[in-house]
Amino acid sequence: MNSDAALLLETVQFAAEKHRNQKRKDPEETPYINHPIGVARILSHEGGVTDIEVLQAALLHDTVEDTDTTPAELEAKFGVTVARIVQEVTDDKSLPKQERKRLQVEHAPHCSQQAKLVKLADKLYNLRDLNRCTPVGWTAERVQEYFLWASEVVKGLKGTNSALEKKLEELFKERGVQL
């Protein structure tokens, strides 16, 4: 097996173990691991991204935010670059939700190219998921508010990957949201 494939499989295994008891908020309670795998797949298949560290970071992007994983653990297991990318896309859960959302908009333009790629694919995955079904406990208004907020984040990521940005623009247009 080539080393890139082995690295990705090791990363998938780690992420699956960390997210093993988590479910998405959709009515089907989809296993959470489908999300980071989907984000990595969007980067690879739709964004043409071949940078293994970016794909690894996509697989791990929610581990620090949503599990007991530490940045030091990621650095020891996957290296400085992967840990840095994950840290760049990780929200500080000690802050109120509205502050975290504000900071995502503010920080997006200043992220590394690698982190911007992960953010674009993450937003694309989440917006497609919201179009597919409304999360349990969400109203149509809350879904639309998410689209409006996500468009503000995406504005700060422009110029990162034209293929992913085009797909996001199409989703926003369908929702009547200006980019």
Coordinates of all heavy atoms in Angstrom, one line a residue, residues 19-35 125 129 132-136:
H19 N -15.2 9.9 16.9 CA -16.6 10.3 16.7 C -17.6 9.1 16.8 O -18.8 9.2 16.5 CB -16.8 10.9 15.3 CG -16.2 12.2 15.1 ND1 -16.5 13.3 15.7 CD2 -15.1 12.6 14.2 CE1 -15.8 14.4 15.3 NE2 -14.9 13.9 14.4
R20 N -17.1 8.0 17.4 CA -17.9 6.7 17.3 C -19.3 6.8 18.0 O -20.2 6.1 17.5 CB -17.1 5.6 17.9 CG -16.9 5.6 19.4 CD -16.0 4.5 20.0 NE -15.8 4.7 21.4 CZ -14.9 5.5 21.9 NH1 -14.1 6.2 21.1 NH2 -14.7 5.6 23.2
N21 N -19.5 7.6 19.0 CA -20.8 7.7 19.6 C -21.6 8.9 19.2 O -22.7 9.1 19.8 CB -20.6 7.7 21.2 CG -20.0 6.4 21.6 OD1 -20.3 5.3 21.2 ND2 -19.0 6.5 22.6
Q22 N -21.2 9.6 18.2 CA -21.9 10.8 17.8 C -22.8 10.6 16.6 O -22.4 9.8 15.7 CB -20.9 11.9 17.5 CG -20.1 12.3 18.8 CD -19.0 13.3 18.4 OE1 -18.4 13.3 17.3 NE2 -18.7 14.2 19.4
K23 N -23.8 11.3 16.6 CA -24.8 11.3 15.4 C -25.0 12.7 14.9 O -24.9 13.7 15.7 CB -26.2 10.7 15.9 CG -26.1 9.4 16.6 CD -26.0 8.3 15.6 CE -26.1 6.9 16.3 NZ -25.6 5.9 15.6
R24 N -25.3 12.8 13.7 CA -25.7 14.1 13.1 C -27.1 14.5 13.6 O -27.8 13.6 14.2 CB -25.7 14.0 11.5 CG -24.4 13.8 10.9 CD -23.5 15.1 10.9 NE -23.9 16.0 9.8 CZ -23.4 17.2 9.6 NH1 -22.5 17.6 10.4 NH2 -23.8 17.9 8.6
K25 N -27.5 15.7 13.4 CA -28.8 16.2 13.9 C -30.0 16.0 12.9 O -31.1 16.5 13.1 CB -28.7 17.6 14.3 CG -27.8 17.9 15.5 CD -27.6 19.3 15.8 CE -26.6 19.5 16.9 NZ -26.3 20.9 17.1
D26 N -29.7 15.2 11.9 CA -30.8 14.9 10.9 C -31.8 13.9 11.5 O -31.5 13.2 12.5 CB -30.2 14.4 9.6 CG -29.4 13.2 9.7 OD1 -29.0 12.7 10.8 OD2 -29.0 12.6 8.6
P27 N -33.0 13.8 10.9 CA -34.0 12.9 11.5 C -33.5 11.4 11.5 O -34.0 10.6 12.3 CB -35.2 13.1 10.5 CG -35.0 14.4 9.9 CD -33.5 14.6 9.8
E28 N -32.6 11.1 10.6 CA -32.1 9.7 10.5 C -31.0 9.4 11.5 O -30.6 8.3 11.7 CB -31.6 9.3 9.1 CG -32.6 9.4 8.0 CD -32.7 10.8 7.4 OE1 -31.7 11.6 7.5 OE2 -33.8 11.1 6.9
E29 N -30.5 10.5 12.2 CA -29.4 10.3 13.1 C -28.2 9.6 12.5 O -27.7 8.7 13.0 CB -29.8 9.6 14.4 CG -30.8 10.4 15.2 CD -31.1 9.8 16.6 OE1 -30.9 8.5 16.7 OE2 -31.5 10.5 17.5
T30 N -27.8 10.2 11.3 CA -26.7 9.6 10.6 C -25.5 9.6 11.4 O -25.2 10.5 12.2 CB -26.4 10.6 9.3 OG1 -27.7 10.7 8.6 CG2 -25.4 10.0 8.4
P31 N -24.6 8.5 11.3 CA -23.4 8.5 12.1 C -22.6 9.8 11.8 O -22.4 10.1 10.6 CB -22.7 7.2 11.6 CG -23.8 6.4 11.1 CD -24.8 7.3 10.6
Y32 N -22.0 10.4 12.8 CA -21.3 11.7 12.6 C -20.1 11.5 11.6 O -19.8 12.4 10.9 CB -20.8 12.2 13.9 CG -20.4 13.7 13.8 CD1 -21.4 14.7 13.8 CD2 -19.1 14.0 13.4 CE1 -21.0 16.0 13.6 CE2 -18.7 15.3 13.2 CZ -19.7 16.3 13.3 OH -19.3 17.6 13.1
I33 N -19.4 10.4 11.7 CA -18.2 10.2 10.9 C -18.5 10.4 9.4 O -17.6 10.7 8.6 CB -17.6 8.8 11.1 CG1 -16.2 8.7 10.5 CG2 -18.5 7.7 10.7 CD1 -15.2 9.7 11.0
N34 N -19.8 10.2 9.0 CA -20.1 10.5 7.5 C -19.7 11.9 7.1 O -19.4 12.2 6.0 CB -21.6 10.2 7.3 CG -21.9 8.8 7.4 OD1 -21.2 7.9 7.8 ND2 -23.2 8.5 7.0
H35 N -19.9 12.8 8.1 CA -19.6 14.3 7.8 C -18.1 14.5 7.5 O -17.8 15.0 6.4 CB -20.1 15.1 9.0 CG -19.6 16.6 8.8 ND1 -20.1 17.4 7.8 CD2 -18.8 17.3 9.6 CE1 -19.5 18.6 7.9 NE2 -18.7 18.5 9.0
Y125 N -20.7 20.9 2.4 CA -21.3 19.7 3.0 C -22.5 20.0 3.8 O -23.6 19.5 3.7 CB -20.3 18.8 3.8 CG -20.9 17.5 4.3 CD1 -20.6 16.3 3.6 CD2 -21.7 17.5 5.4 CE1 -21.1 15.1 4.1 CE2 -22.3 16.3 5.8 CZ -22.0 15.1 5.2 OH -22.5 13.9 5.6
D129 N -26.5 19.3 3.2 CA -27.3 18.5 4.2 C -28.5 19.3 4.6 O -29.6 18.7 4.8 CB -26.4 18.3 5.4 CG -26.5 16.9 6.0 OD1 -26.9 16.0 5.3 OD2 -26.3 16.8 7.2
R132 N -31.1 18.9 2.0 CA -31.6 17.5 2.0 C -32.7 17.4 3.1 O -33.7 16.8 2.8 CB -30.5 16.5 2.2 CG -30.8 15.1 2.1 CD -29.7 14.2 2.4 NE -29.1 14.3 3.7 CZ -29.6 13.7 4.8 NH1 -30.6 13.0 4.8 NH2 -29.0 13.9 6.0
C133 N -32.4 17.9 4.3 CA -33.4 17.7 5.3 C -33.1 18.7 6.4 O -32.0 19.2 6.6 CB -33.4 16.3 5.9 SG -31.9 15.9 6.8
T134 N -34.2 19.1 7.2 CA -34.1 20.0 8.3 C -33.7 19.3 9.5 O -34.3 18.3 9.9 CB -35.4 20.8 8.5 OG1 -35.8 21.4 7.3 CG2 -35.3 21.8 9.6
P135 N -32.6 19.7 10.2 CA -32.2 19.1 11.5 C -33.4 19.1 12.5 O -34.2 20.0 12.5 CB -31.0 19.9 12.0 CG -30.5 20.6 10.8 CD -31.7 20.9 9.9
V136 N -33.4 18.1 13.3 CA -34.4 18.0 14.4 C -34.3 19.2 15.3 O -33.2 19.6 15.7 CB -34.1 16.7 15.2 CG1 -35.1 16.7 16.4 CG2 -34.3 15.4 14.4

